Amino acid sequence: MNDMTPTAEQRAEKLQGMGCKRKRVEDIRFVQGKGNYVDDLRLPGMIYGDFARSPHAHARITKLDTTRAKAVPGVLAVLTAADLKPLNLHYMPTLAGDVAAVLAEEKVLYQNQEVAFVIADSPYAAADGAEALDVEYEPLPVVIDPFKAMAPDAPVLRDDLKGKTEGAHGKRKHHNHIFSWQSGDKAATDAAFAKAEVTIKEMISYPRVHPCPLETCQCVASFDKIRGELTVWGTFQAPHVIRTVASLINISWLSAR
């Protein structure tokens, strides 16, 4: 480094935030094998889990038998929505005021939706158990184009919301309408557009994306029974959101006991 090369502190001080190019500083330790990954964690008595997932985008579950999966050597348990429902844990709250199925109940709503969770003494046994799950489906009409999801003849996806007219953020417009997300001052925005000499109208859609992290999504959880504390390590994009939802689930579970 010569005298003209700025330090990391000088570079950070010069940058003003949005719109400025910022040098990444976290990559080197990961690509050189010096990073910390969830898969590196080894806790005493650790057990492993894997999901059995749906091959269908929309289908009714006509058979779900865990007998073969439970018989796989090393498998300790196989959980389905039927196991979670008595504990009031089969649905989890979302930050949009809705709920999402933890494990599919009666039908699946998208390809790769989680149908069962296999717990085993090794990740290999868990994967074998998930593969051995005996499940049959009755395929249903699918919604492929999101812009047609609220067409008059669109298939009903969420049976639990069918016929409900009120949602978390007001009136529901359609049987597939979950919530509306609005932000800002509508009156002020309308006034600004009304005074503008030129206005442009454009439909902007967020396309499907495929993030490719160095470590795929997984987590390790450890519950301290003495202190009553749950510690979770995970490859989360938004750890504070995960913490909030986990807290809501815990509150919901405690209130149901």
Side-chain angles (χ1 to χ4, degrees), residues 114-150:
E114 300 86 351
V115 174
F117 186 59
V118 180
I119 303 171
D121 57 14
S122 75
Y124 311 104
D128 290 342
E131 185 71 23
L133 187 72
D134 188 6
V135 55
E136 296 179 0
Y137 301 91
E138 175 192 342
L140 298 172
V142 300
V143 176
I144 297 176
D145 187 343
F147 290 100
K148 297 179 181 179
M150 293 203 298

Side-chain angles (χ1 to χ4, degrees), residues 31-194:
V31 298
Q32 291 184 350
K34 300 177 181 178
N36 294 320
Y37 294 89
V38 176
D39 195 48
D40 294 329
L41 288 171
R42 293 293 184 272
L43 302 179
M46 179 180 287
I47 56 177
Y48 300 82
D50 202 349
F51 289 104
R53 299 176 181 272
S54 165
H56 298 277
H58 189 205
R60 196 168 304 281
I61 300 174
T62 59
K63 178 183 178 181
L64 180 54
D65 189 345
T66 62
T67 304
R68 288 193 305 172
K70 290 179 178 177
V72 172
V75 169
L76 305 175
V78 180
L79 301 179
T80 66
D83 299 305
L84 301 180
K85 192 170 184 177
L87 302 174
N88 197 32
L89 292 174
H90 58 309
Y91 278 85
M92 68 176 184
T94 72
L95 296 184
D98 187 35
V99 293
V102 176
L103 296 172
E105 182 186 24
E106 296 185 0
K107 73 174 189 176
V108 293
L109 303 180
Y110 53 89
Q111 188 180 28
N112 281 338
Q113 183 173 2
E114 300 86 351
V115 174
F117 186 59
V118 180
I119 303 171
D121 57 14
S122 75
Y124 311 104
D128 290 342
E131 185 71 23
L133 187 72
D134 188 6
V135 55
E136 296 179 0
Y137 301 91
E138 175 192 342
L140 298 172
V142 300
V143 176
I144 297 176
D145 187 343
F147 290 100
K148 297 179 181 179
M150 293 203 298
D153 59 346
V156 176
L157 298 181
R158 290 275 299 274
D159 289 342
D160 60 309
L161 295 179
K162 184 179 179 180
K164 292 185 178 181
T165 58
E166 294 291 335
H169 300 276
K171 294 288 184 180
R172 298 181 66 233
K173 304 175 183 177
H174 186 274
H175 51 255
N176 288 334
H177 176 218
I178 305 300
F179 69 95
S180 298
W181 185 12
Q182 299 178 345
S183 179
D185 188 329
K186 184 179 184 304
T189 303
D190 291 342
F193 274 103

Side-chain angles (χ1 to χ4, degrees), residues 9 30 79 113 191 237:
E9 291 75 14
F30 289 112
L79 301 179
Q113 183 173 2
Q237 183 179 9

Side-chain angles (χ1 to χ4, degrees), residues 222-231:
S222 177
F223 183 68
D224 188 329
K225 295 182 179 180
I226 303 301
R227 303 175 63 182
E229 294 180 355
L230 175 67
T231 302

